[in-house]
Amino acid sequence: MVAAVRVHKPGGPEALTYEDIDVGAPSPGQIRIKKHACGINFIDVYFRTGMYPAPSSPFVVGNEGAGEVVAVGDGVKDFKVGDRVAYVAGPGGYTAERLLPADRAVKLPDSISYEQAAGMMLKGMTAQYLVRHVHKVQKGDTILVHAAAGGVGLILCQWGKHLGATVIGTVGSKEKATLAKKNGADHTILYREEDFAARVKDITGGKLCHVVYDGVGKSTFPASLDCIRPLGMFASFGSASGPIEAFNIGILAQKGSLFATRPTLNTYTASRQDLLATAKDLFDVVSSGAVKIPINQKYPLKDAQKAHRDLESRATTGSSILIP
Ligand SMILES: NC(=O)c1ccc[n+]([C@@H]2O[C@H](COP(=O)([O-])OP(=O)(O)OC[C@H]3O[C@@H](n4cnc5c(N)ncnc54)[C@H](OP(=O)(O)O)[C@@H]3O)[C@@H](O)[C@H]2O)c1
């Protein structure tokens, strides 16, 4: 038996139950991992509340982590006991040990620690596909990052700056503004107090942004569209404030023939080849020092409820991890 955090019935943070579970031996194609750190993400909240359907009942929360391989199932060729690995996968993460399809695991280079990996596989690979694929950030671009001091936000700010963009970040407090600036944001906007679209217009001299990276959702829509120059991209990748309601697609024409997408990491890393390429790009940029992974909250596994309360109340910055 190993320690885990499960949800028996969707609900608030109190739905997270710390208990022992039986993990079992890996089936063919699976590996068993002893976790050194588990990543915490907003998607864990969506699963906990039932906004995303539970994979089973009860289920172990958490989609990201890092650790060492302790057993391999039949047919697994790429991994052996003792390998250092990290992953993003379906729920099952907040636990001391877990089973995982081997084709979702990635070997960790020596330059990346377990804690860094747990703090960046989901958030960092998301930042990777956003700046490399959804809109290929070029030198001279102007990009807007909402919730710039958050987990994905701080990585996006650094990566965007590294690629030569002018980075504008919206943040919920002055402290978060200072942090975003330390991590690559050229300009910050206190979007709870200021009209962020008007400020973006001001900052860019009316030229607006090539892309808006929006993980906030409901509360920043449709004003985000007013921050985008004609033919620019609206990348709506999350719903921290709630989902965006149905809208008339004609609004994209009115705002200047905009592109809009609602991408997911799952799609961008669906094939093994894409997963490995995305992870490699992330490992390279982090190993080079160009992008740092600020792990600003670390909790014992048993304190998952507190970790969720902090995340949902906007009390966290950068990445959060649980230590089994
Ligand atoms: N599509 C994908 O592939 C993908 C992958 C990873 C993450 N995501 C999404 O990316 C977003 C960021 O994820 P994360 O794990 O890095 O979280 P996070 O940014 O560390 O935390 C969410 C932040 O959103 C802001 N926020 C604005 N309104 C909020 C509200 N009503 N309630 C709570 N927070 C609010 C807060 O920052 P301020 O105080 O500065 O406003 C908060 O700190 C989430 O929407 C997540 O679902 C999507």
Side-chain angles (χ1 to χ4, degrees), residues 40-44 46 52 122-123 125-127 129-130 146-154 170-173 176 191-192 214-217 219-220 236-242 262-266 268 297 310-320:
I40 300 173
N41 293 279
F42 228 89
I43 193 172
D44 307 345
Y46 307 150
Y52 286 5
L122 200 155
K123 293 170 270 281
M125 291 202 295
T126 297
Y129 81 71
L130 288 171
H146 282 309
V152 179
L154 281 184
T170 60
V171 287
S173 69
K176 290 185 179 185
Y191 62 170
R192 295 172 87 169
D214 189 344
V216 171
S219 67
T220 45
S236 172
F237 68 97
S239 324
S241 68
R262 176 57 178 89
T264 73
L265 178 60
N266 275 348
Y268 280 86
Q297 298 74 219
D310 289 350
L311 183 64
E312 285 177 274
S313 64
R314 309 166 85 153
T316 64
T317 58
S319 297
S320 305

